[in-house]
């Protein structure tokens, strides 16, 4: 199956236009036509043409930007649709599908009926479709793109012989070279003795020819269906009580968790959609602190969201989907290893983090990790607890570091020695002991607005009043600042 | 008769306690050092002050620390209530920015009783709730010459539901991770608050 205008058909399905239409993709700094509709092709435009040239030929041309990502998703959807004809469907390039219909045609009333059905359905969907049916994958490819038709079984050459050599999936240079030699059709090529051709073009050309004629096998590789973790429960009568919804959720969770266990995966983000009778839907999203697949642990975590959901006139369908799934291998519980390495992070803590995370956001529960820097503010990093492991290493600090750090607060003082008396946060403080200086130079390879005053000389100040502060002096732009407080 | 610090410290579990004063952070960190297991520290998300793990490492292992940054005071209370009731975290430290009323304090107290965790609220001076089990005032003090290599603190218990009040000069030795009582201070209620 070849969809010659897949990309533009996809856009035009949503917004049909009668005029010449083209999708434009920016390639190598120039806007080029990416895919056109039939009207535009009739105007003499072709793929790869610069947009400016195309506008000269056809001023009425309508354009829209191309989106290869969505095209790929559309093709994937078509691939799923094509499994209605046979189970063995693979994608072919970015605008074709290849179906291995061996043994499946009689289910649709024979080859001709099946092809007619494919054409009718594609036409109804607004897709241009060209079909080729042959004994081999290469033959079908050639027929779909260059001839459209059915190669009689057992004798593919009869159908393929009049097709040009380009139908053999060859490099453009090889095609040009063959045409220069006068070998324009597959029939010409097949009639030639093989050794000189191999010497001239290498083994690839004849391998392609053999694939097209079915002498060399070429399997159809079906894409694996991505695992889908979604489960639905439809109810004959609408429900509204929290307990009822939780009971329904429990049933869904049991099945979903069985699926997850079978694939050794754990859910990270779950979404419960509650479809109401009036057509609206309430969504409850649950983000877990660690991948999980234990139904009885997940269920209580849903309660808060379910209680907040609006039931309206009643809920008649529940749908539970695991939106983000991570690998979660089966772990051995108990035994000497688990007992010895008693991790402080048990499942109870994960549940707590999840529950708190539903309230304040999972990113707002953090832990501190050591970082490689001599700048005090950058000697640690803050990471979300749910997505990081606790630090195992130590916290090397060459000198005592304060317990709390705040943005530097200027104080009135001058000179390179620490002041005897100073005011800070409305406190009158007198220096009793000063230890320092500890000179810290900025990391010049990282621009940092806070360090624009240059080098800092840090002093630990013990005041007569008891407070122990971390002061610094910036010799390059004289000034004194309080940066932190010791215990 | 001078009261003994270790009658009321480490703090009674399954209760919520309060500490105020400039040494409140180190009071909480030293309390964390007395126990094991994770520590949940509920902080206001809008604060510019940061806990410095390099400094904390002298008191307890920062790998045990989980920080919850709450977007509002109500959320902060809700998070600590949830954590106290759950009991998965043996120590929950909450930085309070708004005065607690009796109802909020009592809810925290009930949650701590259910879960069995210790709760500690770092309160601004004079913003405590009557429901707290004990209230402490912690302040750093100027170390004498011979104690200069350790952290000198002055702790005073200014409210105690089930015990006596008292004030102590304590020393935290970084290398040994130990708390020493230097001398019980003669009881002068409110004296530490006046100087801090």
């Amino acid at each position: 199956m070849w969809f010659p205008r897949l990309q533009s058909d996809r856009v035009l399905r949503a917004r049909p236009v009668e005029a010449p239409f083209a999708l434009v993709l920016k390639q190598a700094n120039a806007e080029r036509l990416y895919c056109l509709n039939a009207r535009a092709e009739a105007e003499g435009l072709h793929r790869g043409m610069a947009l400016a040239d195309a506008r000269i030929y056809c001023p009425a041309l309508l354009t829209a930007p191309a989106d290869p990502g969505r095209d790929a998703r559309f093709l994937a959807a078509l691939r799923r649709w094509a499994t209605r004809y046979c189970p063995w469907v693979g994608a072919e390039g970015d605008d074709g599908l290849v179906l291995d219909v061996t043994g499946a045609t009689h289910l649709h009333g024979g080859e001709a009926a099946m092809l007619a059905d494919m054409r009718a359905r594609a036409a109804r969907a607004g897709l241009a479709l060209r079909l080729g049916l042959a004994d081999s994958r290469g033959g079908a490819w050639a027929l779909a793109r260059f001839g459209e038709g059915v190669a009689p079984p057992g004798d593919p050459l009869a159908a393929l012989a009049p097709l040009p050599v380009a139908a053999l999936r060859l490099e453009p240079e090889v095609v040009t070279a063959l045409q220069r030699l006068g070998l324009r059709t597959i029939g010409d090529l097949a009639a030639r003795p093989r050794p000189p051709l191999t010497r001239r073009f290498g083994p690839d050309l004849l391998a392609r020819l053999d694939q097209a004629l079915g002498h060399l096998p070429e399997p159809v590789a079906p894409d694996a269906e991505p695992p889908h973790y979604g489960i639905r429960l439809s109810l004959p009568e609408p429900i509204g009580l929290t307990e009822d919804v939780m009971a329904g959720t429990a049933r869904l969770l049991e099945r979903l968790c069985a699926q997850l266990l079978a694939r050794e995966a754990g859910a990270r983000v779950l979404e419960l959609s509650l479809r109401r009778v009036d057509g609206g839907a309430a969504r409850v999203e649950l983000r877990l602190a660690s991948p999980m697949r234990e139904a009885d642990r997940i269920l209580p975590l849903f309660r808060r969201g379910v209680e907040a959901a609006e039931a309206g006139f009643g809920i008649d369908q529940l749908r539970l989907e695991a939106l983000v799934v991570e690998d979660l291998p089966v772990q051995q519980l108990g035994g000497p290893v688990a007992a010895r390495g008693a991790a402080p992070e048990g499942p109870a803590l994960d549940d707590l983090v999840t529950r708190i995370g539903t309230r304040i956001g999972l990113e707002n529960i953090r832990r501190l990790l050591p970082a490689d820097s001599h700048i005090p503010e950058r000697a640690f990093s803050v990471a979300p607890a749910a997505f990081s492991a606790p630090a195992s290493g130590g916290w090397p600090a060459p000198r005592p570091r304060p317990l709390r750090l705040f943005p530097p607060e200027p104080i009135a003082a001058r000179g390179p020695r620490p002041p005897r008396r100073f005011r800070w946060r409305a406190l009158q403080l007198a220096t009793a002991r000063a230890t320092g200086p500890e000179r810290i130079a900025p990391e010049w390879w990282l621009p940092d607005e806070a360090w624009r005053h240059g080098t800092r000389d840090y002093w630990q100040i013990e005041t007569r009043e008891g407070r122990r502060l971390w002061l610094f002096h910036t010799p390059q732009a004289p000034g004194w600042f309080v940066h932190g407080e010791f215990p | 008769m001078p009261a003994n610090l270790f009658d009321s410290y480490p703090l009674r579990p399954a209760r919520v306690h309060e500490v105020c004063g400039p040494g409140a952070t180190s009071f909480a960190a030293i309390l964390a050092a007395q126990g094991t297991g994770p520590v949940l520290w509920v902080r206001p998300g809008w604060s510019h002050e940061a806990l410095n793990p390099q400094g904390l490492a002298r008191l307890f292992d920062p790998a045990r620390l989980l920080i919850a940054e709450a977007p509002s005071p109500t959320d902060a209370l809700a998070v600590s209530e949830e954590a106290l009731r759950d009991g998965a975290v043996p120590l929950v430290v909450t930085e309070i920015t708004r005065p607690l009323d009796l109802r909020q304090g009592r809810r925290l107290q009930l949650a701590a009783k259910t879960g069995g965790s210790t709760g500690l609220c770092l309160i601004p001076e004079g913003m405590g709730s009557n429901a707290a089990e004990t209230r402490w005032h912690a302040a750093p003090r100027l170390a004498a010459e011979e104690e200069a290599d350790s952290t000198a603190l002055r702790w005073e218990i200014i409210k105690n539901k089930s015990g006596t009040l008292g004030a102590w000069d304590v020393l935290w030795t970084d290398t040994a991770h130990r708390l020493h009582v230097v001398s019980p201070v003669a009881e002068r209620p409110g004296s530490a608050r006046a100087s801090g």
Side-chain angles (χ1 to χ4, degrees):
Chain A
M1 290 174 108
W2 181 44
F3 302 96
R5 285 188 281 273
L6 177 78
Q7 294 90 350
S8 58
D9 283 343
R10 176 181 71 74
V11 175
L12 292 176
R13 257 158 61 86
R15 200 159 38 86
V17 291
E18 288 296 312
F21 176 84
L23 289 178
V24 177
L25 187 68
K26 198 156 188 171
Q27 287 167 324
N29 252 352
E31 294 204 304
R32 294 191 178 278
L33 300 193
Y34 180 62
C35 187
L36 342 105
N37 70 353
R39 281 283 304 275
E41 268 173 14
E43 296 277 348
L45 308 182
H46 59 86
R47 280 191 185 207
M49 199 179 201
L51 176 63
D53 296 346
R55 283 212 190 284
I56 296 169
Y57 285 113
C58 173
L61 181 69
L62 295 176
T63 61
D67 185 349
R70 290 185 68 175
D71 294 335
R73 287 201 291 280
F74 186 54
L75 187 66
L78 285 173
R79 195 190 64 75
R80 278 192 68 178
W81 163 77
T83 52
R84 74 193 308 283
Y85 294 108
C86 72
W88 218 238
V89 185
E92 172 76 64
D94 55 3
D95 53 1
L97 295 174
V98 47
L99 284 70
D100 189 348
V101 293
T102 312
T105 48
H106 70 280
L107 301 172
H108 302 275
E111 287 178 3
M114 188 178 76
L115 295 184
D117 181 55
M118 284 178 181
R119 275 200 195 88
R121 284 177 189 273
R124 211 181 313 150
L127 293 170
L129 174 66
R130 293 175 63 175
L131 296 165
L133 182 64
D135 286 354
S136 65
R137 186 174 173 180
W141 193 94
L143 281 172
R145 279 167 176 75
F146 290 90
E148 194 164 13
V150 180
D155 184 22
L157 198 57
L160 294 179
L163 300 183
V165 285
L168 288 177
R169 296 179 284 175
L170 299 172
E171 303 290 324
E173 309 84 84
V174 180
V175 174
T176 319
L178 285 172
Q179 282 176 345
R180 286 212 186 107
L181 294 178
L183 301 173
R184 294 184 189 283
T185 65
I186 294 178
D188 293 346
L189 192 65
R192 289 277 132 196
R194 295 168 68 95
L197 283 173
T198 310
R199 268 205 301 282
R200 174 80 167 78
F201 296 102
D204 226 29
L205 168 65
L206 290 174
R208 285 299 194 192
L209 180 65
D210 288 345
Q211 281 176 349
L213 299 180
H215 302 319
L216 260 189
E218 191 185 5
V220 172
D223 296 344
E225 282 289 338
H228 180 70
Y229 301 103
I231 287 187
R232 202 174 357 200
L233 177 68
S234 298
L235 304 165
E237 286 285 319
I239 58 173
L241 293 177
T242 306
E243 287 311 317
D244 298 348
V245 176
M246 291 300 285
T249 312
R251 281 199 201 176
L252 292 176
L253 261 177
E254 225 160 78
R255 284 163 58 196
L256 184 72
C257 290
Q259 264 189 26
L260 289 168
L261 181 65
R263 292 184 196 271
E264 297 209 351
R268 196 70 196 238
V269 180
L270 290 162
E271 192 187 65
L272 178 68
S273 327
L274 309 171
R275 205 186 65 187
R276 290 194 292 259
V277 184
D278 56 9
R283 283 175 211 288
V284 180
E285 198 189 55
L286 181 68
R287 307 183 59 202
L288 299 167
S290 64
M292 269 201 239
R293 54 161 177 258
E294 292 86 359
D296 46 346
R297 274 177 65 198
I298 300 175
L299 185 64
L301 304 174
F302 262 116
R303 179 166 289 275
R304 186 184 147 82
V306 168
E307 275 168 2
E310 189 60 51
F313 293 107
I315 292 162
D316 64 352
Q317 191 189 72
L318 309 174
R319 186 166 183 283
L320 182 68
E321 191 178 359
L323 297 179
V324 178
V325 171
E326 286 179 7
D327 286 344
L328 181 64
V330 178
Q331 280 172 346
Q332 182 176 352
L333 296 175
V337 179
R340 198 174 54 235
E345 317 265 302
L349 186 64
D350 282 338
D351 287 2
L352 175 66
V353 168
T354 303
R355 270 206 305 281
I356 297 176
T358 54
R359 169 133 203 153
I360 61 172
L362 210 50
E363 296 78 18
N364 285 331
I365 303 165
R366 304 183 182 161
R367 71 170 101 239
L368 303 169
L369 300 175
D372 188 14
S373 171
H374 64 270
I375 302 282
E377 303 96 303
R378 292 209 213 104
F380 60 94
S381 61
V382 181
F387 306 101
S388 61
S392 53
W395 296 83
R399 301 281 177 90
R401 289 280 182 259
L403 202 54
R404 277 179 182 271
L405 285 174
F406 26 83
E409 295 172 9
I411 54 171
R414 55 181 64 230
R417 303 289 304 171
R420 290 185 168 282
R421 308 186 68 81
F422 56 94
R423 279 185 77 77
W424 171 68
R425 291 192 181 174
L427 293 174
Q428 188 70 45
L429 300 169
T431 307
R433 247 177 256 136
T435 315
E438 179 192 356
R439 174 160 288 193
I440 298 182
E443 291 178 325
W444 50 263
W445 54 95
L446 292 173
D448 187 349
E449 188 59 24
W451 282 75
R452 66 180 189 282
H453 294 308
T455 309
R456 296 175 178 182
D457 287 341
Y458 276 96
W459 294 80
Q460 296 174 49
I461 304 288
E462 291 175 58
T463 61
R464 290 192 192 288
E465 290 73 16
R467 308 290 287 257
R468 284 181 280 269
L469 300 173
W470 210 36
L471 266 62
F472 69 84
H473 173 59
T474 46
Q476 288 163 347
W480 279 90
F481 299 86
V482 184
H483 194 198
E485 185 167 9
F486 288 94
Chain B
M1 190 187 74
N4 186 357
L5 168 69
F6 296 104
D7 284 346
S8 19
Y9 190 90
L11 304 177
R12 214 174 144 195
R15 294 286 187 281
V16 176
H17 307 263
E18 290 179 347
V19 58
C20 61
T25 310
S26 58
F27 185 91
I30 290 172
L31 182 65
Q34 315 283 331
T36 54
V39 177
L40 181 71
W41 199 298
V42 185
R43 309 196 59 224
W46 60 93
S47 159
H48 289 300
E49 294 194 12
L51 285 173
N52 183 13
Q54 281 190 317
L56 285 175
R58 298 202 298 160
L59 305 170
F60 76 105
D61 181 12
R64 289 168 50 202
L65 185 66
L66 277 178
I67 298 177
E69 303 213 330
S72 76
T74 318
D75 282 327
L77 288 176
V79 167
S80 32
E81 188 189 357
E82 182 84 55
L84 284 169
R85 174 161 300 136
D86 188 79
V89 188
L91 176 63
V92 180
V93 180
T94 315
E95 290 185 22
I96 302 282
T97 46
R98 241 176 22 189
L100 293 185
D101 60 26
L102 188 58
R103 187 176 61 86
Q104 292 164 330
R106 185 77 191 133
R107 274 185 73 158
L108 288 182
Q109 200 64 261
L110 288 174
K113 258 182 207 171
T114 318
S117 306
T118 314
L120 182 65
C121 296
L122 312 188
I123 54 169
E125 224 134 315
M127 283 196 191
S129 130
N130 268 337
E133 176 77 15
T134 57
R135 186 172 309 136
W136 295 73
H137 184 276
R141 67 185 166 86
L142 181 61
E145 282 301 331
E146 66 273 12
E147 28 176 73
D149 58 336
S150 15
T151 307
L153 302 162
R154 188 194 162 107
W155 289 353
E156 192 180 349
I157 184 162
I158 53 179
K159 178 199 155 156
N160 195 346
K161 277 197 172 173
S162 52
T164 46
L165 303 185
W168 298 271
D169 281 348
V170 294
L171 264 188
W172 173 260
T173 324
D174 300 340
T175 45
H177 278 237
R178 274 202 55 139
L179 190 71
H180 301 280
V181 179
V182 180
S183 62
V185 179
E187 210 164 299
R188 280 174 298 160
S191 58
R193 268 188 292 174
S195 66

